[in-house]
């Protein structure tokens, strides 16, 4: 097990640790083109109007034989399942040839509605493009080319290489294999147009498929980094002083469950690929919450929640989604009034037709001697897609009931999980309570 970074957090009715945000996407150690967990390009749908300010915007393009009725290629995002596992996250892209002819596709930089644009990827000179691929057809694997494109003196120039010429390629394999494309030495990357392009021109059979996943640009020999940034719940802006403790508004004292005024935004920047990696959050003290610094027997129930999106949920244009408000907390009790089932979203929630009290997105902080103290809040588990990502995991509440939590609205533009905190101030007796927490990234 290789532990890359461990962050120790002190919680004084609040808590703190210093950290800095990563640089712009196109200078990160890893720039994601298609990934469930890593940041980089922002994928937009065919009919989306891309903001001019989004310099990382891409769309998926298909190029095919225009004389073939009905087109020559289809594409779809496939959800991973127990019998069909994605190598990273819980989905992959599938390309299918409909006719015996040529076709290609790619992820192209765009701005506005349809205008082609470029991005400076010079930081990746000497680096690689990595991806996972599979096909049931050896002919597809033998004859398929991948590459990227640049703009040189106003003209788009494509750089291609056959899959069969890439290191580690196995034409007989029908399972996922990770391949590495070495960016040609001396290539100017100041104006990259398409991040990843695919084409097949020979020996195509109707319904041949090519599956691709976890596409990313990787700098040469850069280590993995783990970042934790404090942000304000009110407007999602960064806290100016990252050493400032997380706090609760004074008017929440004595009012029951209250959400902290700040949250933690997590980010990983490193080539973890399809490795088994985990981000854990747990307490480092022997109290099941925040305890009074003057009287350690005085403990406030404390809870946490992880979300792939900012909360409360909003639409892409920033307007509120009225049937989701995950910052209102309720306690669900058993009929006998003694056994606590869990903490639920007390706002208007719609989860697969179930009521709010059957869904427990908030979890109690446990004491360090609890056998399940190390709560996994973000992970990739190859071979188990239901346990991958920040939006799907299991946890056990204070009543011993294990539930699976699914974040119904995943923000695919920024893959930065948010860790929120809350405590029950109803019986608060003092102004300062404390606790110690650990956040760690490990992988093997």
């Amino acid at each position: 097990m290789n532990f890359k970074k461990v962050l120790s957090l002190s919680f004084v009715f609040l808590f703190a640790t210093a950290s800095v945000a990563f640089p712009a996407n196109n200078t990160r150690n890893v720039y994601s083109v298609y990934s469930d967990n890593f940041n980089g390009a922002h994928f937009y749908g065919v009919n989306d109007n891309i903001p001019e300010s989004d310099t990382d915007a891409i769309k998926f393009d298909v190029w095919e034989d225009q004389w073939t009725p009905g087109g020559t290629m289809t594409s779809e995002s496939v959800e991973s399942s127990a019998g069909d596992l994605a190598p990273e996250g819980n989905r992959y892209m599938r390309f299918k040839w409909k006719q015996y002819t040529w076709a290609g596709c790619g992820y192209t930089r765009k701005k506005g509605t349809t205008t082609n644009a470029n991005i400076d990827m010079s930081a990746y000179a000497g680096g690689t493009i990595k991806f996972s691929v599979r096909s049931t057809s050896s002919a597809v694997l033998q004859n398929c080319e991948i590459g990227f494109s640049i703009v040189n003196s106003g003209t788009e120039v494509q750089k291609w290489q056959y899959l069969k010429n890439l290191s580690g390629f196995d034409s007989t394999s029908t399972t996922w294999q990770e391949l590495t494309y070495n960016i040609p030495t001396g290539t100017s990357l100041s104006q990259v147009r398409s991040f990843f392009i695919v084409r097949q021109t020979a020996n195509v059979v109707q319904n041949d498929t090519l599956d691709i996943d976890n596409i990313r640009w990787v700098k040469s020999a850069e280590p993995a980094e783990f970042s934790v940034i404090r942000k304000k719940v009110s407007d999602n802006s960064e806290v100016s002083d990252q050493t400032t403790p997380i706090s609760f508004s004074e008017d929440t004292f004595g009012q029951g469950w209250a959400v902290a005024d700040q949250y933690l935004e997590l980010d990983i920047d490193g080539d973890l690929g399809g490795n088994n990696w985990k981000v854990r959050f747990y307490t480092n003290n022997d109290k099941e919450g925040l305890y009074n610094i003057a009287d350690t027997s005085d403990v406030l129930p404390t809870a946490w929640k992880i979300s792939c999106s900012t909360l409360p949920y909003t639409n892409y244009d920033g307007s509120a989604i009225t049937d989701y408000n995950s910052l209102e907390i309720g306690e669900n009790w058993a009929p006998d009034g003694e056994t606590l089932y869990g903490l639920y979203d007390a706002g208007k929630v719609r989860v697969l037709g179930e009521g709010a009290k059957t869904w427990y997105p908030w979890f109690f902080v446990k004491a360090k001697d609890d056998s399940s103290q190390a709560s996994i809040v973000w992970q990739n588990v190859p071979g188990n897609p239901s346990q991958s990502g920040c939006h799907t995991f299991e946890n056990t509440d204070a009543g011993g009931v294990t539930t699976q939590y699914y974040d119904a609205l995943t923000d695919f533009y920024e893959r930065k999980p948010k860790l929120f905190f809350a405590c029950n101030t109803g019986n608060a007796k003092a102004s300062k309570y404390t606790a110690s927490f650990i956040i760690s990234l490990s992988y093997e």
Side-chain angles (χ1 to χ4, degrees), residues 138-158:
S138 60
V140 169
L141 291 174
Q142 287 285 355
N143 294 286
C144 191
E145 294 177 285
I146 63 96
F148 68 101
S149 74
I150 62 175
V151 173
N152 187 3
S153 300
T155 301
E156 185 173 2
V157 179
Q158 298 173 338

Side-chain angles (χ1 to χ4, degrees), residues 1-162:
M1 182 73 70
N2 184 6
F3 290 88
K4 293 304 296 182
K5 180 167 285 191
V6 176
L7 299 176
S8 208
L9 312 174
S10 63
F11 204 147
V12 186
F13 202 66
L14 15 95
F15 68 88
T17 185
S19 190
V20 295
F22 293 129
N25 275 353
N26 64 333
T27 59
R28 295 167 62 95
N29 293 331
V30 174
Y31 187 90
S32 164
V33 178
Y34 183 87
S35 165
D36 284 298
N37 289 297
F38 300 101
N39 281 286
H42 300 163
F43 186 78
Y44 287 80
V46 174
N47 298 318
D48 288 344
N49 186 10
I50 301 173
E52 294 281 342
S53 59
D54 192 344
T55 58
D56 295 292
I58 62 172
K59 283 189 176 181
F60 180 72
D61 289 327
V62 174
W63 310 294
E64 55 189 10
D65 183 356
Q66 61 180 317
W67 305 112
T68 301
T72 58
M73 172 182 275
T74 62
S75 65
E76 62 177 326
S77 177
V78 180
E79 291 290 332
S80 188
S81 63
D84 182 21
L85 302 175
E88 186 266 350
N90 60 5
R91 55 189 165 193
Y92 60 87
M93 285 297 295
R94 166 162 290 174
F95 311 119
K96 180 181 291 187
W97 280 266
K98 297 167 63 177
Q99 304 288 339
Y100 180 86
T101 184
W102 68 270
C105 55
Y107 296 89
T108 304
R109 170 78 180 94
K110 300 283 187 179
K111 69 176 182 178
T113 53
T114 59
T115 308
N116 288 332
N118 310 312
I119 188 171
D120 188 352
M121 299 292 286
S122 298
Y124 299 88
T128 58
I129 301 175
K130 295 185 177 182
F131 60 99
S132 295
V133 65
R134 73 173 178 182
S135 177
T136 55
S137 168
S138 60
V140 169
L141 291 174
Q142 287 285 355
N143 294 286
C144 191
E145 294 177 285
I146 63 96
F148 68 101
S149 74
I150 62 175
V151 173
N152 187 3
S153 300
T155 301
E156 185 173 2
V157 179
Q158 298 173 338
K159 303 288 184 178
W160 293 99
Q161 192 168 105
Y162 280 106

Side-chain angles (χ1 to χ4, degrees), residues 187-238:
T187 302
S188 173
L189 302 176
S190 61
Q191 296 189 74
V192 172
R193 174 66 55 82
S194 293
F195 293 100
F196 190 85
I197 46 182
V198 179
R199 69 180 179 188
Q200 174 82 347
T201 59
N203 298 320
V204 180
V205 177
Q206 187 175 9
N207 293 326
D208 274 351
T209 62
L210 183 73
D211 298 334
I212 294 181
D213 192 22
N214 202 17
I215 307 168
R216 70 255 188 223
W217 287 52
V218 181
K219 287 184 181 179
S220 176
E222 291 290 346
E225 296 291 343
F226 180 40
S227 172
V228 179
I229 301 299
R230 288 173 181 73
K231 287 194 169 183
K232 300 176 184 177
V233 171
S234 60
D235 60 6
N236 301 305
S237 63
E238 287 188 19

